Amino acid sequence: MISARKTYIIANWKMNFTPGEASLYLHRLSNRIPAMRNVQVVLSPSLVSLQPLSLQINRRQFKLAAQNFYWQDYGAFTGEVSISQIRSFVDYAIVGHSERRYLFNESDKDIAQKVAAAIRNGLTPVLCIGETAEERRNGETSAAIYDQLIGGLSQVSEEDISKVIIAYEPVWAISSNKNARPAKPEDIKEAQLLIRRHISKLYGDETAMDLPILYGGSVNPSTAPGYLNIPGIDGLLVGNASLIADSFCAIVESAKGKYDER
Ligand code: PEP
């Protein structure tokens, strides 16, 4: 199948790898993952590795993403790093990850400011949203998703919404959670439809259809092909499995299979 739509495979390395380890790991991946027209591989190392890796990567092969940043561009904010300070190293910025929401108490307002800061600085925000196990049990999945979309996108104009990627990451499926269990394809299909329905109300039908939506949560080489086959899912955000070259390369390989690469 030939398609103009891209598949995104985003590796979230979280707080792992020293700069030296990250560089060696990137070297290993770059020998195994080719530059592809329809598959965009994005690596998200720790902040401290962004600059050295930006000098090392072939940007046709990989792009880099920030895992976190402060929303103001400059000023007296001791210990913080702004997106304008790192924007020459990265093309994407992960915003609203559940570990930031629940471990670091980031509010929808903080997240909205970060989404706006990424866009203002010419980057693509990857806005992570997803319900907790409790919200799901209480039948509040749709409301939770709606609130996080409304909150996170509150400063995004109709003109800028095409610069955003959404990652649906149900909190109960993320491997850092004690009782994590992988989502079923039918759950993801349903959530993806919900997200498009909400986006359609906010920005119209065409935007809702075009918006890239990724899935993240305990993805591994055996579940990736099934997730990538879900209609309306444009890629994967991968945590744990992105730290092991064999697993990550196999996941990228399954995205490659989605398209004819001629
Ligand atoms: C994540 O934290 O974004 C994630 C998807 O992690 P994991 O793949 O380890 O569940």
Side-chain angles (χ1 to χ4, degrees):
M1 180 178 87
I2 295 179
S3 165
R5 247 181 132 110
K6 258 191 189 169
T7 298
Y8 297 86
I9 303 293
I10 304 184
N12 179 6
W13 292 352
K14 308 193 184 185
M15 202 175 69
N16 293 293
F17 299 144
T18 63
E21 289 165 346
S23 168
L24 280 176
Y25 188 51
L26 170 62
H27 182 69
R28 214 172 311 145
L29 294 181
S30 59
N31 287 333
R32 296 180 59 177
I33 298 176
M36 291 166 279
R37 208 176 23 163
N38 287 321
V39 181
Q40 181 63 70
V41 180
V42 180
L43 307 176
S44 187
S46 296
L47 185 59
V48 71
S49 298
L50 283 177
Q51 192 212 14
L53 292 204
S54 76
L55 299 173
Q56 187 183 338
I57 54 161
N58 169 355
R59 285 197 180 199
R60 289 188 50 244
Q61 200 175 11
F62 302 113
K63 303 276 197 240
L64 294 179
Q67 290 177 22
N68 186 36
F69 57 90
Y70 191 55
W71 64 272
Q72 297 263 30
D73 284 342
Y74 56 87
F77 302 103
T78 301
E80 293 296 325
V81 174
S82 72
I83 198 77
S84 65
Q85 290 175 303
I86 53 175
R87 72 174 177 192
S88 60
F89 312 143
V90 299
D91 290 283
Y92 296 84
I94 297 174
V95 181
H97 191 280
S98 58
E99 285 153 19
R100 303 255 11 127
R101 288 179 193 265
Y102 302 109
L103 299 178
F104 299 97
N105 297 318
E106 276 190 19
S107 66
D108 280 326
K109 186 169 172 218
D110 299 324
I111 291 161
Q113 282 164 325
K114 290 184 177 195
V115 168
I119 293 174
R120 181 170 76 240
N121 282 282
L123 306 179
T124 301
V126 180
L127 173 61
C128 301
I129 59 170
E131 79 284 3
T132 61
E134 193 185 350
E135 286 164 339
R136 190 167 191 87
R137 260 195 316 274
N138 295 341
E140 293 164 2
T141 298
S142 176
I145 288 177
Y146 188 62
D147 288 349
Q148 290 179 8
L149 279 175
I150 290 256
L153 298 175
S154 61
Q155 297 184 31
V156 179
S157 65
E158 285 195 16
E159 198 189 322
D160 284 339
I161 183 69
S162 62
K163 299 172 185 160
V164 175
I165 293 176
I166 301 290
Y168 171 60
E169 297 211 304
V171 181
W172 47 269
I174 293 185
S175 68
S176 54
N177 278 289
K178 231 179 32 215
N179 300 316
R181 58 187 170 86
K184 294 193 194 100
E186 46 283 19
D187 297 332
I188 300 167
K189 188 173 167 199
E190 202 178 302
Q192 171 274 135
L193 284 170
L194 267 175
I195 293 168
R196 291 194 198 280
R197 217 171 296 141
H198 291 326
I199 292 289
S200 158
K201 274 191 226 139
L202 297 168
Y203 295 97
D205 287 349
E206 203 177 322
T207 304
M209 263 170 49
D210 291 347
L211 185 78
I213 300 180
L214 319 185
Y215 167 71
S218 299
V219 173
N220 62 42
S222 44
T223 54
Y227 289 148
L228 287 166
N229 264 338
I230 301 170
I233 285 296
D234 298 291
L236 302 169
L237 180 46
V238 188
N240 247 351
S242 74
L243 300 172
I244 302 157
D246 283 347
S247 302
F248 188 63
C249 293
I251 291 168
V252 172
E253 195 62 31
S254 47
K256 225 166 105 187
K258 220 176 151 168
Y259 298 105
D260 182 332
E261 282 291 324
R262 283 169 301 172

